[in-house]
Amino acid sequence: MPSDEAGSFAERVETMRRIERGEQRYADGSPALQATAYYLDHLLADAVARARAASDLPRRKVEVLISLCGFAATPTVLTYELLRPSRLVVITSRDAPDSVDLIGQRLVGPDRLRHQDFRHVPVDASDPLDMYQQIARELAGRDGRHAVIDITGGRKVMSAAAALAAWQLNLGLTYIENQFDPVTRQLRHGEVRLISLENPTTLFGEQELARALEMFRSGAFEAARRRYDEIAERIAVPGRARLMRALAELYRTWCDLDLAALPAAVAGVEQSLRQGRRHLRPDTSATIDRQLSFARRLAAGDATAFVVCFYVLGLHYQQLGRHDFAALLFYRTVEACLTTRLRHRYPGFDPDDCDWSHLGDPAAVRAGYAEVSRSLAPPASAGPPNKLTLFAAAILLASLDDELARRTGLVDPERLRELRDRTWARNKSVLAHGTQPIAAEHTESLRAEASGLLTAYWALHGDGNDVDELCVELRFLRDDR
């Protein structure tokens, strides 16, 4: 409510200044305390009304106000009146006991703060760690989004330490801005406003982006996508977060081989690149372009793209230490090289439903298969199955004296036995037919097998470029620059 003392606001301000200079008395205490008491009795209500009209107040209800009081009580009381928090914590210096008493007298009472909701905590004004620990203790694990630190009344070091604590604890930060008369250099008490200072971690998002990037690097692409989505909605310059959100979704669909969702994920990255390419280094931008081109081939069902994709995903999971998934994907690379080679060389032949007439005389094909099977130690099943397994596909290619088999040495029975031994560990794993864990050395052995077969397959069916360079280009990014 406005003051009931006679006189205009300006006249009351002048009365307060006379009290402050010791020319007029008001209540007890030093002239400064008397002037403060007069301000709170006769100017505060009008000052609050004017400040509320001039301020951009927080939309969210402030549950806890943490206010610095280095000496004067006025900033704390004014900020309380503007924010009306449920709880007030006054962080004080050694020079503020009288001001703390005054704050308590004014703000604790009916329709205001309960005694238990008003606390004052002394700190070492020159020790940022003390400031941080005291504020963290007062929050007691509560969500910092509902708390605000007001730094107006703090001394310089106190305010700097409080700002650092606010940014670290993700709290709101406010400041009472006062206007000065350029002639008299005195405060214009009727021209104040509350300013909400953006937390740099929210405004620019660097710390949050760094944490999201760690999720991204760990292969938790769906969790990273959700985190980037949250960040993009809050920060002032969301281009990088939006791009990484789209890239995380692309990598998620790629890892899941979710072909139905892949075109939309590709389009999402393309759209984000139009606004976010400036955030990237040229080499990173070029890598994303090559990955998008490959993802389009994958979405279209390109068989050779699938062969390469299995190997690249195997490298991804091997780097993450997920040897179970890595071994499975290297196994699939070997299998895809063999079966896709058969599809290429013999159009119409389906390794999942074998029609031997596509390969020539069925009797001759069976006889050749049986001959190679018997040459192994121990011998493999002599009869070709109706659905080819990895090893059956290798025997069949060897029996057909296929170029891929010759390039990889699979025409040699000893080499075929080596292939069988390498794939045994995967067949006993929990992702296949057993319960055995996959050791790092078994994963690496399968990777070497997959690499050799992929190189031979690519020489026969690739685009003429180096497949190793392609695999490097397709490795998922680990940086957001």
Side-chain angles (χ1 to χ4, degrees), residues 216 247 250-251 254 262 266 269-270 283-299 312 470-478:
F216 185 87
L247 199 59
L250 173 66
Y251 288 173
W254 193 331
L262 202 51
V266 169
V269 175
E270 290 174 332
D283 59 323
T284 302
S285 181
T287 295
I288 293 175
D289 287 335
R290 288 190 289 269
Q291 291 181 350
L292 290 175
S293 177
F294 182 84
R296 292 188 201 97
R297 291 175 57 193
L298 197 60
V312 170
L470 174 63
C471 291
V472 170
E473 293 170 354
L474 296 180
R475 296 290 293 273
F476 294 152
L477 292 173
R478 295 179 57 77

Side-chain angles (χ1 to χ4, degrees), residues 64-69 76 85 87-92 113 117-121 134-135 138-139 142 148:
V64 182
L65 170 61
I66 301 170
S67 181
L68 303 190
C69 183
T76 297
R87 186 163 171 262
L88 173 63
V89 179
V90 180
I91 304 292
T92 70
L113 290 170
D117 294 325
F118 171 65
R119 280 179 49 76
H120 51 92
V121 181
Q134 293 291 354
I135 292 172
E138 290 300 323
L139 291 175
R142 284 188 291 268
V148 163

Side-chain angles (χ1 to χ4, degrees), residues 55 57-58 62 64-70 72-83 85 88-92 103 131 135 147-155 158-163 166 171-178 193-197:
S55 302
L57 299 177
V62 176
V64 182
L65 170 61
I66 301 170
S67 181
L68 303 190
C69 183
T74 306
T76 297
V77 176
L78 183 56
T79 306
Y80 170 85
E81 295 291 353
L82 288 170
L83 299 180
L88 173 63
V89 179
V90 180
I91 304 292
T92 70
I103 293 169
M131 176 76 72
I135 292 172
V148 163
I149 296 180
D150 185 77
I151 62 174
T152 312
R155 297 186 174 185
M158 285 180 71
S159 296
L171 308 178
L173 192 65
T174 60
Y175 179 77
I176 295 289
E177 182 183 57
N178 292 280
R193 65 188 180 112
L194 184 75
I195 297 176
S196 295
L197 304 176

Side-chain angles (χ1 to χ4, degrees), residues 216-230:
F216 185 87
R217 287 173 171 169
S218 72
F221 295 124
E222 175 56 22
R225 184 199 65 77
R226 291 195 299 268
R227 192 70 180 122
Y228 282 123
D229 188 51
E230 294 171 1

Side-chain angles (χ1 to χ4, degrees), residues 12-71:
R12 282 176 272 147
V13 168
E14 186 55 38
T15 299
M16 185 190 74
R17 288 175 178 156
R18 287 198 299 273
I19 296 170
E20 196 171 34
R21 292 192 297 266
E23 299 171 2
Q24 183 174 330
R25 287 193 61 81
Y26 186 85
D28 298 322
S30 68
L33 283 176
Q34 293 179 49
T36 300
Y38 180 87
Y39 174 88
L40 297 177
D41 287 341
H42 301 293
L43 290 167
L44 178 65
D46 284 334
V48 169
R50 296 182 183 205
R52 182 172 285 116
S55 302
D56 183 14
L57 299 177
R59 297 185 182 90
R60 182 185 285 120
K61 165 69 175 173
V62 176
E63 299 292 341
V64 182
L65 170 61
I66 301 170
S67 181
L68 303 190
C69 183
F71 181 75

Side-chain angles (χ1 to χ4, degrees), residues 117-434:
D117 294 325
F118 171 65
R119 280 179 49 76
H120 51 92
V121 181
V123 298
D124 182 344
S126 62
D127 185 357
L129 181 59
D130 187 31
M131 176 76 72
Y132 172 84
Q133 290 174 333
Q134 293 291 354
I135 292 172
R137 187 176 296 116
E138 290 300 323
L139 291 175
R142 284 188 291 268
D143 188 348
R145 291 178 300 172
H146 297 281
V148 163
I149 296 180
D150 185 77
I151 62 174
T152 312
R155 297 186 174 185
K156 292 179 181 179
V157 176
M158 285 180 71
S159 296
L164 290 172
W167 295 333
Q168 185 66 30
L169 295 168
N170 198 26
L171 308 178
L173 192 65
T174 60
Y175 179 77
I176 295 289
E177 182 183 57
N178 292 280
Q179 296 298 319
F180 281 83
D181 187 297
V183 177
T184 65
R185 301 301 299 163
Q186 291 183 327
L187 283 174
R188 292 176 173 172
H189 289 280
E191 298 181 31
V192 298
R193 65 188 180 112
L194 184 75
I195 297 176
S196 295
L197 304 176
E198 291 285 355
N199 187 327
T201 62
T202 300
L203 184 61
F204 304 112
E206 290 298 333
Q207 292 182 15
E208 292 184 84
L209 285 168
R211 287 191 287 268
L213 182 60
E214 287 305 311
M215 291 184 190
F216 185 87
R217 287 173 171 169
S218 72
F221 295 124
E222 175 56 22
R225 184 199 65 77
R226 291 195 299 268
R227 192 70 180 122
Y228 282 123
D229 188 51
E230 294 171 1
I231 296 169
E233 295 303 314
R234 294 205 308 268
I235 63 177
V237 185
R240 183 152 50 106
R242 290 173 178 168
L243 176 58
M244 293 303 294
R245 175 183 62 189
L247 199 59
E249 174 63 8
L250 173 66
Y251 288 173
R252 182 200 67 79
T253 58
W254 193 331
C255 284
D256 293 347
L257 291 176
D258 187 353
L259 301 186
L262 202 51
V266 169
V269 175
E270 290 174 332
Q271 179 179 356
S272 296
L273 273 176
R274 284 194 282 272
Q275 289 87 34
R277 194 179 290 272
R278 66 181 182 277
H279 299 290
L280 301 174
R281 296 189 305 267
D283 59 323
T284 302
S285 181
T287 295
I288 293 175
D289 287 335
R290 288 190 289 269
Q291 291 181 350
L292 290 175
S293 177
F294 182 84
R296 292 188 201 97
R297 291 175 57 193
L298 197 60
D302 185 307
T304 296
F306 264 95
V307 176
V308 176
C309 175
F310 289 139
Y311 184 72
V312 170
L313 290 180
L315 293 175
H316 168 68
Y317 284 109
Q318 186 181 33
Q319 182 180 39
L320 296 179
R322 292 300 309 272
H323 298 295
D324 45 359
F325 282 107
L328 174 62
L329 287 158
F330 291 141
Y331 183 97
R332 291 287 286 122
T333 305
V334 173
E335 184 179 52
C337 286
L338 301 173
T339 57
T340 308
R341 168 61 179 168
L342 285 165
R343 293 178 190 273
H344 277 301
R345 184 177 174 189
Y346 302 100
F349 179 72
D350 183 2
D352 294 327
D353 186 13
C354 299
D355 180 351
W356 305 109
S357 64
H358 286 288
L359 308 181
D361 176 54
V365 171
R366 289 191 175 91
Y369 185 97
E371 181 181 357
V372 173
S373 296
R374 286 193 295 269
S375 71
L376 301 176
S381 175
N386 291 328
K387 181 177 180 179
L388 294 181
T389 62
L390 178 152
F391 194 54
I395 293 174
L396 180 58
L397 285 169
S399 70
L400 296 170
D401 195 30
D402 182 77
E403 179 64 19
L404 180 69
R406 289 198 299 273
R407 285 173 180 253
T408 55
L410 292 176
V411 290
D412 181 352
E414 185 63 23
R415 175 73 177 84
L416 278 172
R417 185 190 63 78
E418 182 184 71
L419 174 65
R420 180 168 57 185
D421 290 345
R422 278 182 164 175
T423 57
W424 175 86
R426 176 266 169 190
N427 289 333
K428 295 295 184 181
S429 77
V430 293
L431 294 182
H433 313 297

